[in-house]
Amino acid sequence: MSKTGRAVMEAVRAQDSGFDPPDTDARVRTIWIWQLLFAAVVAIIVVAGYSLDPAVLGIPPLVIGVLGVFATTIVALVVPWGRLPEAAATSLPYLDIVWVGLLTFSTELRLSHLWVFPITWLASQFSLARLVAGVGVVGLITLIEVLVNETSAASALRVLIAVLALTFVGIAVHATARQGRAYRTLLRRQSRRIRHTLDTVSAEQRRVRDMLDAVNIGIAQVSDTGELLSSNAAYRSLYAIDESEPSRPPRSIEYDSLRGSALRAAQGTYSRAARGEEFENESVWLFDADGRWHALSVATRRQPPVTGDQPSTMLIAEDVTEVIAAGKRRDALAAVVSHELRNPLTAILGHTDRLLDEGTFDGPTRRRLRVIEEASERMMRLVDAMLSTRSDEITLADRDARSLTDLREILDASLESFAVTAAEHGVRVHYDGEGSLPLWADAFRLRQLVDNLIGNAIKYTPSGGAVHVSGRIDGEDIVLSVRDTGIGIPAGDLDRVFEPYFRSSTAVDSAIPGTGLGLGIVRHIVDAHGGRIEISSEPGAGTDVTVRIPMEAT
Ligand code: ADP
């Protein structure tokens, strides 16, 4: 069976099971058409018969039959068939069969042919059972007529042939009509499916458009012929594009730098996207229609052509004006702060130097003065680095500054400088490990790393707790571990402690001051030395930070 054949069979089954609701208006129209057509034919025959022989109107069964047909027609026109069950309308062709029986009764006119009308009606609009019942009624009436009129055997045979012919016509019409209806059902169903698919696609498109309009990154799709295929609200607003006239040139103008030179159309990001160029993080300044400057970071992505579509390029423009401004503000602030730090630092350094030079103090006091002097010098170097570089340029381990360094010495110096703080905190600090930990490293940054880890361990450990520092050689690496019995870090925060300005909930809840910058700097220094850092922790039990750095410079 062909595909269409199968679909039609399915439609027939669906129709039989009442899957497709019938169209009531169409049903009422069909009833009217059939009944009016039949009444018109009867009227013509009666008029013709009367004009040939006025006596025909004197035959009572014929008159009753004609009146019956007209009365049935009036009923057909006034009854609200739409509100009645479908089967109710079957009564009309049955009545017509009876009226035709009366018309044929005791007349010479061969009006029995008129049965073709109600039988065809039954065959085309109703079930096979009703058709068979209709033909049965015809057979019954003709049988009665044969018996009543005592017709000859030849006439009886003619009647039988007429009934058989009617049966044949009825079945043929029924089969054709059934298939026609099935095709209609199939078409209706398919058109419903197409409508549903279209609705789904447009709803999907609407959702995607709403989503794209909700993001504040400008997105546009540009065809290889330079046509703006689509754009989101952020792109249209940045480039001052009128949604109703997307082909008009944008009113915002691209510049190569802030207040620099305007880009020629061919150099602009749009033309480059139209040429299919692919680029990332291109900086462009945009002067918008309201006279405001925007710093944009623009990128493109090639779009593979979807069937029937032309190739295109996605243009993504992110407004980074605020980010740049924030960076500048941070740099300016850092410059001011570090500049202001220089003055008190100079005083501390100067006076410590004087005290050491005077030689008034010796023993432990002199050692402490040295610690103060060294710490102040380190701070001065950091301040100088901040003053001479922008925030994004500070290097956290200078390759040229690497030399053979002993981490053990750095640890000792750091532990000595934290001794007083630890004692004030009531925290015991131990070192266990090897006597010498040689490696190629930037000693200044390594000290910064060690200070941050030991400083954190002491800071986040409540009084009575302990900090264990250990250093050992493991194969090619130096492994430094700083373990404490402090407040710990919740598991969910562990991944984030290296993010700038992040502080774990335990630290915030305990109101321990900090900036959230130290561990990020530590990680940078470790990375720059080709090492690794791991942190494990349990809230309330303590934290263990392990740093592994190759001894040979990488
Ligand atoms: P901060 O200046 O806040 O100490 P860090 O970058 O050094 O900044 O650390 C980031 C966060 O990691 C801290 O705020 C703290 O929540 C957590 N943290 C770091 N070290 C420890 C530690 N030894 N014990 C508990 N929490 C720690």
XYZ file of all heavy atoms in Angstrom, residues 452-461 482-490 493-494 496-508 512-522 535 537 542-545, ligand 1:
403
model
N 52.051 35.566 53.580
C 50.596 35.473 53.433
C 50.049 34.203 54.066
O 49.038 34.235 54.771
C 50.217 35.499 51.945
C 49.880 36.909 51.496
O 49.030 37.549 52.082
N 50.578 37.388 50.489
N 50.741 33.063 53.818
C 50.225 31.787 54.340
C 50.333 31.732 55.861
O 49.368 31.365 56.548
C 50.978 30.604 53.713
C 50.787 30.426 52.201
C 51.475 29.154 51.733
C 49.304 30.371 51.839
N 51.506 32.124 56.397
C 51.672 32.065 57.861
C 50.772 33.110 58.533
O 50.119 32.838 59.541
C 53.160 32.244 58.257
C 53.967 31.065 57.686
C 53.318 32.311 59.780
C 55.468 31.143 57.939
N 50.696 34.277 57.919
C 49.853 35.354 58.457
C 48.396 34.897 58.534
O 47.720 35.086 59.559
N 47.894 34.261 57.460
C 46.507 33.758 57.462
C 46.312 32.712 58.545
O 45.311 32.733 59.273
C 46.188 33.100 56.113
C 45.692 34.119 55.089
O 45.474 35.271 55.428
N 45.539 33.689 53.863
N 47.276 31.759 58.639
C 47.133 30.654 59.593
C 47.001 31.209 61.010
O 46.156 30.758 61.791
C 48.330 29.715 59.478
N 47.823 32.214 61.343
C 47.759 32.800 62.703
C 46.458 33.578 62.880
O 45.752 33.449 63.868
C 48.992 33.702 62.956
C 50.269 32.867 62.929
C 48.845 34.448 64.277
C 51.557 33.676 62.953
N 46.120 34.360 61.809
C 44.945 35.242 61.893
C 43.655 34.444 62.072
O 42.777 34.835 62.838
C 44.887 36.069 60.599
C 43.811 37.113 60.555
C 44.030 38.105 59.429
C 43.774 37.511 58.063
N 43.681 38.510 57.002
N 43.546 33.302 61.362
C 42.284 32.554 61.396
C 42.276 31.438 62.448
O 41.435 30.563 62.413
C 41.972 31.985 60.004
C 41.682 33.081 59.002
C 42.543 33.337 57.932
C 40.554 33.891 59.142
C 42.280 34.357 57.033
C 40.285 34.912 58.248
C 41.159 35.145 57.192
O 40.890 36.163 56.321
N 43.282 31.453 63.367
C 43.299 30.443 64.434
C 43.020 31.121 65.769
O 43.758 32.031 66.175
C 44.673 29.728 64.477
O 44.888 29.139 63.204
C 44.709 28.652 65.550
N 51.549 24.630 55.420
C 51.189 25.470 56.560
C 49.828 24.967 57.044
O 48.834 25.054 56.314
C 51.124 26.969 56.164
C 50.740 27.816 57.372
C 52.451 27.431 55.588
N 49.840 24.397 58.243
C 48.631 23.750 58.772
C 48.228 24.457 60.057
O 49.092 24.805 60.859
C 48.982 22.291 59.050
C 47.827 21.346 59.218
C 48.266 19.916 58.848
N 49.615 19.598 59.279
C 49.941 19.136 60.492
N 49.015 18.944 61.394
N 51.201 18.867 60.804
N 46.935 24.695 60.229
C 46.508 25.329 61.480
C 45.307 24.602 62.064
O 44.727 23.726 61.410
C 46.187 26.817 61.240
C 45.041 27.024 60.282
O 43.939 26.512 60.546
O 45.243 27.705 59.245
N 44.968 24.947 63.303
C 43.802 24.329 63.954
C 42.704 25.390 64.097
O 41.983 25.420 65.093
C 44.195 23.795 65.348
O 44.702 24.908 66.103
C 45.243 22.715 65.264
N 42.586 26.231 63.073
C 41.697 27.391 63.171
C 40.263 27.167 62.725
O 39.763 26.032 62.713
N 39.622 28.255 62.300
C 38.165 28.242 62.029
C 37.808 27.465 60.769
O 36.679 27.049 60.579
C 37.600 29.675 61.925
C 38.326 30.466 60.819
C 37.703 30.401 63.246
C 37.670 31.794 60.494
N 38.773 27.275 59.869
C 38.522 26.495 58.656
C 37.687 27.242 57.611
O 37.266 28.388 57.827
N 37.469 26.560 56.483
C 36.738 27.158 55.352
C 35.662 26.154 54.916
O 35.980 24.978 54.724
C 37.689 27.415 54.156
C 38.869 28.282 54.590
C 36.962 28.043 52.977
C 40.018 28.313 53.603
N 34.400 26.589 54.760
C 33.364 25.642 54.305
C 33.707 25.086 52.906
O 34.296 25.794 52.083
C 32.096 26.493 54.225
C 32.394 27.733 54.982
C 33.871 27.928 54.977
N 33.150 27.077 49.775
C 33.940 28.298 49.552
C 35.352 27.983 49.080
O 36.067 28.874 48.595
C 34.039 29.120 50.848
C 32.715 29.777 51.200
O 31.808 29.712 50.356
O 32.609 30.347 52.299
N 35.768 26.707 49.249
C 37.174 26.363 48.990
C 37.656 26.760 47.597
O 38.768 27.270 47.438
C 37.384 24.861 49.184
C 37.840 24.432 50.571
C 38.089 22.951 50.605
C 39.098 25.188 51.002
N 36.752 29.114 45.814
C 36.693 30.545 45.515
C 37.705 31.387 46.285
O 37.813 32.591 46.040
C 35.280 31.073 45.811
C 34.211 30.308 45.035
C 32.893 31.014 45.083
N 33.014 32.380 44.615
C 32.104 33.314 44.850
N 31.044 33.028 45.555
N 32.290 34.541 44.384
N 38.439 30.761 47.220
C 39.305 31.581 48.080
C 40.436 32.271 47.303
O 41.027 33.227 47.790
C 39.909 30.775 49.257
C 38.855 30.428 50.266
C 40.631 29.542 48.761
N 40.703 31.810 46.064
C 41.762 32.457 45.270
C 41.211 33.632 44.454
O 41.965 34.362 43.838
C 42.408 31.439 44.320
C 43.080 30.311 45.060
C 42.522 29.050 45.102
C 44.269 30.541 45.743
C 43.133 28.017 45.803
C 44.892 29.512 46.447
C 44.327 28.257 46.480
N 39.876 33.779 44.438
C 39.290 34.890 43.677
C 39.572 36.196 44.401
O 39.485 36.247 45.631
C 37.769 34.741 43.590
C 37.320 33.667 42.643
C 35.807 33.491 42.702
O 35.096 34.405 43.184
O 35.357 32.418 42.285
N 39.881 37.265 43.644
C 40.139 38.539 44.308
C 38.913 38.985 45.103
O 37.792 38.832 44.650
C 40.398 39.516 43.150
C 40.685 38.664 41.968
C 40.061 37.342 42.198
N 39.159 39.481 46.276
C 38.162 40.060 47.190
C 37.191 39.028 47.773
O 36.257 39.374 48.470
C 37.352 41.191 46.515
C 38.237 42.273 45.945
C 38.420 42.391 44.570
C 38.916 43.149 46.783
C 39.259 43.356 44.037
C 39.751 44.125 46.262
C 39.929 44.223 44.896
O 40.753 45.169 44.375
N 37.419 37.732 47.506
C 36.496 36.750 48.096
C 36.911 36.441 49.524
O 38.088 36.213 49.807
C 36.464 35.450 47.275
C 35.554 34.424 47.904
C 34.183 34.489 47.700
C 36.056 33.447 48.768
C 33.324 33.580 48.316
C 35.207 32.535 49.390
C 33.843 32.610 49.151
N 35.931 36.416 50.418
C 36.203 36.040 51.808
C 35.187 34.980 52.211
O 34.001 35.129 51.945
C 36.082 37.262 52.733
C 36.901 38.456 52.231
C 37.312 39.367 53.355
N 38.195 38.706 54.282
C 38.076 38.791 55.611
N 37.130 39.512 56.128
N 38.918 38.159 56.413
N 35.652 33.925 52.880
C 34.727 32.828 53.192
C 33.778 33.261 54.310
O 34.066 34.188 55.065
C 35.504 31.582 53.605
O 35.896 31.710 54.944
N 32.650 32.539 54.389
C 31.631 32.926 55.381
C 32.186 32.803 56.795
O 31.857 33.619 57.668
C 30.394 32.053 55.209
O 30.780 30.699 55.257
N 33.086 31.807 57.024
C 33.645 31.641 58.381
C 34.435 32.882 58.777
O 34.342 33.350 59.912
C 34.566 30.400 58.423
O 35.256 30.310 57.196
C 33.804 29.131 58.680
N 35.201 33.431 57.794
C 36.010 34.623 58.093
C 35.107 35.823 58.346
O 35.318 36.586 59.293
C 36.954 34.918 56.934
N 34.070 35.972 57.508
C 33.179 37.124 57.652
C 32.422 37.027 58.975
O 32.332 38.005 59.726
C 32.211 37.194 56.444
C 31.210 38.327 56.624
C 32.996 37.367 55.139
N 36.860 38.679 61.370
C 38.324 38.820 61.279
C 38.624 39.692 60.061
O 38.146 39.394 58.965
C 39.009 37.437 61.130
C 38.672 36.585 62.359
C 40.511 37.574 60.940
C 39.079 35.137 62.243
N 39.367 40.788 60.229
C 39.559 41.688 59.085
C 40.433 41.074 57.986
O 41.257 40.196 58.242
C 40.252 42.906 59.701
C 40.843 42.425 60.970
C 40.051 41.247 61.437
N 40.234 41.527 56.771
C 41.028 41.031 55.634
C 40.499 41.642 54.347
O 39.438 42.279 54.350
N 41.230 41.441 53.256
C 40.806 42.025 51.974
C 40.392 40.964 50.955
O 39.777 41.260 49.953
C 41.974 42.804 51.338
O 43.059 41.882 51.154
C 42.404 43.965 52.190
N 40.776 39.724 51.193
C 40.473 38.675 50.220
C 41.410 38.705 49.027
O 41.102 38.142 47.978
N 42.563 39.355 49.167
C 43.498 39.448 48.029
C 44.719 38.535 48.173
O 45.335 38.144 47.192
C 43.989 40.893 47.876
C 42.956 41.895 47.373
C 43.489 43.311 47.499
C 42.577 41.595 45.939
N 45.041 38.183 49.444
C 46.301 37.481 49.717
C 46.471 36.172 48.953
O 47.491 35.953 48.289
N 45.476 35.263 49.034
C 45.639 33.942 48.420
C 45.732 34.022 46.893
O 46.410 33.217 46.266
C 44.498 33.001 48.828
C 44.616 32.413 50.232
C 43.483 31.435 50.500
C 45.954 31.698 50.403
N 45.042 35.024 46.309
C 45.134 35.221 44.842
C 46.578 35.547 44.469
O 47.143 34.993 43.514
N 47.215 36.435 45.269
C 48.613 36.806 45.007
C 49.509 35.578 45.180
O 50.384 35.297 44.364
C 49.035 37.954 45.958
C 48.257 39.225 45.594
C 50.539 38.195 45.906
C 48.439 40.385 46.545
N 49.232 34.794 46.255
C 50.019 33.580 46.504
C 49.949 32.663 45.286
O 50.965 32.154 44.814
C 49.491 32.850 47.772
C 50.065 31.451 47.869
C 49.828 33.660 49.007
N 44.612 23.367 48.756
C 44.113 23.792 50.062
C 43.012 22.825 50.485
O 42.148 22.485 49.697
C 43.640 25.269 49.977
C 43.171 25.773 51.323
C 42.567 25.501 48.959
C 43.138 27.299 51.418
N 40.423 21.881 53.938
C 39.997 22.520 55.178
C 38.724 21.886 55.712
O 37.953 21.284 54.954
C 39.757 24.006 54.913
O 39.489 24.661 56.113
N 40.309 23.182 61.105
C 41.553 23.795 60.639
C 41.745 23.711 59.133
O 40.913 23.155 58.420
N 42.868 24.295 58.710
C 43.136 24.415 57.276
C 44.566 23.979 57.002
O 45.450 24.187 57.836
C 42.958 25.897 56.843
O 41.637 26.286 57.204
C 43.155 26.096 55.351
N 44.741 23.362 55.826
C 46.079 22.903 55.447
C 46.365 23.410 54.034
O 45.660 23.059 53.095
C 46.094 21.363 55.488
C 47.498 20.826 55.265
O 48.386 21.644 54.977
O 47.684 19.597 55.383
N 47.368 24.265 53.909
C 47.732 24.762 52.575
C 49.077 24.155 52.201
O 50.039 24.256 52.962
C 47.834 26.305 52.556
C 48.089 26.799 51.138
C 46.584 26.945 53.118
P 42.124 37.739 53.564
O 42.760 39.083 53.508
O 40.639 37.821 53.700
O 42.737 36.852 54.576
P 43.096 35.842 51.576
O 43.082 35.943 50.100
O 44.410 35.633 52.237
O 42.349 37.119 52.120
O 42.165 34.638 51.947
C 40.916 34.513 51.315
C 39.922 33.888 52.271
O 40.276 32.550 52.481
C 39.924 34.509 53.631
O 39.041 35.609 53.687
C 39.447 33.391 54.514
O 38.054 33.334 54.460
C 40.010 32.165 53.826
N 41.252 31.704 54.436
C 42.512 31.831 53.975
N 43.397 31.209 54.781
C 42.676 30.674 55.784
C 42.998 29.884 56.937
N 44.254 29.543 57.255
N 41.980 29.505 57.739
C 40.719 29.826 57.477
N 40.334 30.552 56.400
C 41.301 30.983 55.570
